[in-house]
């Protein structure tokens, strides 16, 4: 008794088309020769599961297989099938021929990219490159490879100052340059590093979406860095010299006497530098009242004349 194609793919005979496709995806990734270079038997296994999917993944071929009109190799069974089972003048039904390439088992009309998704060939080192010559020598039109999407998380300072990160895509280590002033959700395009093209088409791109972590006190507004600076009542009234952080290190700033909450200080040139120019750091003052009881402070404040600070 010949092999059972449903057993080859590890699915039940009543499996849906989606279940068959999912099972094939899983096995093909596991046994692809490019990821099993030290396992010669993987090529044969890959050939076997590809041949099984070539039949079970096609509605018409699967119907013929289930009705015992073709066998596990796609060849017609029985006397009637031997003469009446020719499809359009081609013996052995649709796709009965298989190549003996190193990847094994790729059907004559079989497009692996439609099963794997093009990104798998990037992971396997471009195993799907090259054009296809169909019957009569007619070549298919070149088609650009699919883009590969990737999400990268970066810290706030790397985003605003710029930097470099390394990612691993399909077994390749890629250095990604992050421009200064990067904002959350921004996408970088790495030209030509995506999935291989089809039939000698150009490769796709890698699209990296950057998720920027929030900073405890900095925010980015255009090219400017903004922050809120808490100051005491004493510093607000008498003025003070306060050390504040910037994206390049700490600096000292002067809080003018009688400063109010919401007043802004500008640190020139302490923002983002890019081709559009140089930004600043904008500091917004926030007066913070003491949380502990202070009789001395209360006595001083009570001695001050009342002052109307409201305009309503």
């Amino acid at each position: 008794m010949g092999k059972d194609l449903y057993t080859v793919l590890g699915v039940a005979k009543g499996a849906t088309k989606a279940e068959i496709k999912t099972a094939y995806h899983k096995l093909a990734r596991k046994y692809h020769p490019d990821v099993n270079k030290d396992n010669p038997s993987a090529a044969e296994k890959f050939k076997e599961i590809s041949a099984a999917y070539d039949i079970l993944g096609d509605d018409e071929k699967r119907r013929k297989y289930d009705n015992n009109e073709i066998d596990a190799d796609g060849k017609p069974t029985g006397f009637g099938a031997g003469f009446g089972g020719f499809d359009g003048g081609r013996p052995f039904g649709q796709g009965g021929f298989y190549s003996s390439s190193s990847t094994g088992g790729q059907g004559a009309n079989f497009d692996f990219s439609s099963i794997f998704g093009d990104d798998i060939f990037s992971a396997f080192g471009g195993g799907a490159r090259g054009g296809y010559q169909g019957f009569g020598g007619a070549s298919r039109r070149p088609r650009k490879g699919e883009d590969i999407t990737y999400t990268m998380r970066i810290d706030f300072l790397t985003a605003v100052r710029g930097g470099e990160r390394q990612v691993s895509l399909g077994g390749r280590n890629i250095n990604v340059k992050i421009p200064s002033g990067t904002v959350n959700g921004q996408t970088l395009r790495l030209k030509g590093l995506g999935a291989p093209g089809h039939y000698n088409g150009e490769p796709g791109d890698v699209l990296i979406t950057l998720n920027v972590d929030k900073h405890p006190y900095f925010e980015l507004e255009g090219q400017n860095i903004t922050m809120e600076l808490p100051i005491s009542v004493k510093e607000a009234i008498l003025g003070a010299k306060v050390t504040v952080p910037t994206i390049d290190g700490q600096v000292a700033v002067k809080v003018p006497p009688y400063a109010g909450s919401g007043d802004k200080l500008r640190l020139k040139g302490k923002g983002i530098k890019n081709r559009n120019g140089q930004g600043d750091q904008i500091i917004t003052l926030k007066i913070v009242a003491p949380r502990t009881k202070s009789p001395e402070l209360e006595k001083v404040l009570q001695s001050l004349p009342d002052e109307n600070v409201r305009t309503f």
Side-chain angles (χ1 to χ4, degrees):
M1 185 175 181
K3 61 187 174 184
D4 179 69
L5 299 185
Y6 291 98
T7 302
V8 171
L9 293 183
V11 296
K13 188 170 182 178
T16 65
K17 191 171 184 176
E19 289 171 338
I20 290 174
K21 184 175 182 179
T22 298
Y24 173 64
H25 277 191
K26 183 177 179 180
L27 292 171
R29 290 178 183 271
K30 180 178 179 180
Y31 290 106
H32 196 286
D34 286 351
V35 293
N36 291 275
K37 291 182 169 49
D38 298 328
N39 183 9
S41 64
E44 286 303 314
K45 183 66 175 177
F46 183 78
K47 179 178 178 180
E48 183 182 39
I49 61 178
S50 297
Y53 184 75
D54 186 39
I55 292 176
L56 298 185
D58 182 281
D59 292 339
E60 179 61 19
K61 292 180 188 177
R62 183 181 180 184
R63 182 192 65 76
K64 290 182 178 181
Y65 177 74
D66 288 344
N67 291 337
N68 203 29
E69 295 177 31
I70 59 174
D71 62 15
D73 295 322
K75 297 179 181 179
T77 61
F79 179 81
F83 290 90
F86 284 64
D87 183 10
R90 286 183 294 168
F92 313 120
Q94 301 176 7
F97 299 112
Y98 294 93
S99 69
S100 57
S101 65
S102 61
T103 54
Q106 181 173 342
N109 289 318
F110 199 80
D111 183 0
F112 279 107
S113 66
S114 67
I115 305 304
F116 280 104
D118 293 332
D119 61 337
I120 190 174
F121 295 111
S122 173
F124 292 151
R129 290 188 183 273
Y132 160 76
Q133 295 293 325
F135 292 108
S139 61
R140 296 189 181 184
R141 291 177 57 186
R143 181 160 59 92
K144 182 181 177 181
E146 296 296 325
D147 294 337
I148 297 175
T149 58
Y150 185 86
T151 301
M152 180 191 298
R153 180 169 294 280
I154 58 175
D155 63 274
F156 181 88
L157 292 180
T158 298
V160 298
R161 292 189 299 207
E164 191 170 286
R165 289 288 184 272
Q166 189 177 82
V167 298
S168 180
L169 291 173
R172 298 171 296 172
N173 290 325
I174 300 174
N175 290 324
V176 180
K177 290 186 177 180
I178 300 167
S180 62
T182 294
V183 297
N184 187 56
Q186 184 172 331
T187 299
L188 304 180
R189 180 180 293 271
L190 307 183
K191 191 75 174 173
L193 294 181
H198 301 280
Y199 320 117
N200 293 321
E202 64 181 35
D205 305 329
V206 170
L207 303 178
I208 300 180
T209 300
L210 300 175
N211 291 337
V212 180
D213 291 332
K214 289 186 175 295
H215 195 273
Y217 34 82
F218 290 139
E219 289 188 10
L220 181 64
E221 291 184 3
Q223 290 178 254
N224 293 332
I225 299 293
T226 65
M227 68 168 290
E228 189 176 72
L229 177 63
I231 58 174
S232 67
V233 174
K234 179 180 179 180
E235 290 172 329
I237 295 175
L238 301 180
K241 193 173 187 179
V242 182
T243 300
V244 298
T246 72
I247 61 174
D248 298 316
Q250 293 186 333
V251 299
V253 298
K254 287 184 178 181
V255 176
Y258 293 94
S261 283
D263 289 355
K264 298 183 185 298
L265 306 177
R266 181 182 297 269
L267 300 181
K268 200 73 175 172
K270 293 298 182 181
I272 305 301
K273 183 178 182 180
N274 55 29
R275 60 185 179 181
N276 297 321
Q278 176 77 59
D280 304 326
Q281 179 165 323
I282 309 299
I283 301 172
T284 301
L285 300 179
K286 178 183 179 183
I287 299 174
V288 179
R291 296 293 185 181
T292 56
K293 187 175 178 64
S294 175
E296 293 82 3
L297 178 59
E298 292 176 12
K299 185 176 181 180
V300 171
L301 293 177
Q302 287 172 356
S303 66
L304 295 176
D306 292 336
E307 182 181 3
N308 185 14
V309 296
R310 289 170 286 279
T311 59
F312 52 84

